[in-house]
Amino acid sequence: MAGEIPDLKALERTGTGKGAARQARRDGMVPGIVFGGEKDPLPINLPFNKLFHRLKAGRFKSTLFNLQVEGHEDVRVICRDVQRDVVKDLPTHVDFMRLRRTSKINLFIPVDFVGEEAAPGIKRGGMLTVVRPEVELIVTAGDIPEKVTVDLTGMEIGDIVHISDVTLPEGAKPTIDRDFVICNISAPSGLTAAGDDDDADAAEVETEAAED
């Protein structure tokens, strides 16, 4: 299971419609709705400042949250839509979907690089160039991996790690079909032995980064 699933606190919203939503915004809240999971939709209000902070942090729509609403059981949710003010670009409404433990979702999982001390290329002065510090995977909500491990043991200057070279957590698969680059060992600037092959590898990494 991935490190701790972040909590998201909300209040049950009494009343529905535009009037109740406008009152929530005047009170410094952002109205929202929780749907799915074979339960009735639950209108909620979220504190504007805390929601805005999480939105600024990024990956909001691909983060699994533990939603806590007083008077209701905690439930895992994922954001499906954030409506924003067309002028100020501030959140005005948020839609969340309840998830079962067997639900499949897309999440960005951090990449952990190990074995640098056993990589000959790094010992010779090569540099680890990380193209993807995290990878987007299709995972099961009840079994989210904490990380994806890339072992650099034995890697030489010019070696590249593609997603196909990595053992992914059981049940997880990339959202991208092509065999994308995760990292490589690049030659140090002072190394004159870099040939055409190294140049080609560097070009592939640069192209990979540009495509994203």
Side-chain angles (χ1 to χ4, degrees):
M1 175 66 62
E4 192 174 340
I5 297 175
D7 290 333
L8 191 63
K9 297 182 182 297
L11 300 174
E12 183 173 1
R13 175 160 43 98
T14 57
T16 57
K18 294 183 179 179
R22 283 195 294 266
Q23 183 60 49
R25 296 183 189 106
R26 286 194 292 268
D27 294 339
M29 309 293 281
V30 178
I33 192 76
V34 184
F35 61 91
E38 299 180 353
K39 294 183 179 180
D40 293 336
L42 176 66
I44 59 173
N45 285 332
L46 299 108
F48 174 85
N49 290 337
K50 292 185 178 180
L51 175 62
F52 185 72
H53 176 74
R54 289 196 180 276
L55 289 171
K56 291 286 287 183
R59 307 295 190 200
F60 188 78
K61 288 187 177 182
S62 59
T63 298
L64 184 68
F65 291 104
N66 179 51
L67 182 66
Q68 299 178 329
V69 181
E70 186 175 353
H72 297 267
E73 291 184 358
D74 291 3
V75 61
R76 292 180 178 181
V77 298
I78 193 166
C79 177
R80 279 298 174 242
D81 187 45
V82 178
Q83 298 173 29
R84 296 175 180 269
D85 183 278
V86 294
V87 177
K88 299 180 180 179
D89 195 35
L90 297 176
T92 59
H93 194 277
V94 189
D95 294 346
F96 292 100
M97 183 175 70
R98 299 184 185 97
L99 294 174
R100 298 177 179 177
R101 292 186 62 84
T102 56
S103 299
K104 294 289 186 180
I105 54 174
N106 296 3
L107 289 179
F108 283 89
I109 306 298
V111 179
D112 182 31
F113 299 92
V114 301
E116 291 188 45
E117 69 285 352
I122 293 178
K123 290 182 177 181
R124 291 176 53 208
M127 299 291 294
L128 173 63
T129 300
V130 176
V131 178
R132 292 179 184 269
E134 56 185 8
V135 293
E136 189 178 19
L137 301 177
I138 302 173
V139 298
T140 304
D143 192 22
I144 301 172
E146 179 180 357
K147 59 188 177 182
V148 171
T149 301
V150 171
D151 190 354
L152 306 174
T153 300
M155 288 188 63
E156 299 282 357
I157 291 175
D159 284 351
I160 297 176
V161 176
H162 294 82
I163 187 63
S164 61
D165 301 317
V166 179
T167 301
L168 295 177
E170 185 176 356
K173 66 178 183 178
T175 59
I176 301 175
D177 290 334
R178 60 186 170 81
D179 193 17
F180 54 84
V181 173
I182 294 180
C183 71
N184 83 325
I185 305 295
S186 58
S189 57
L191 189 64
T192 59
D196 293 339
D197 289 343
D198 289 338
D199 292 339
D201 291 339
E204 180 181 352
V205 172
E206 291 174 358
T207 300
E208 181 76 32
E211 288 176 354
D212 294 335

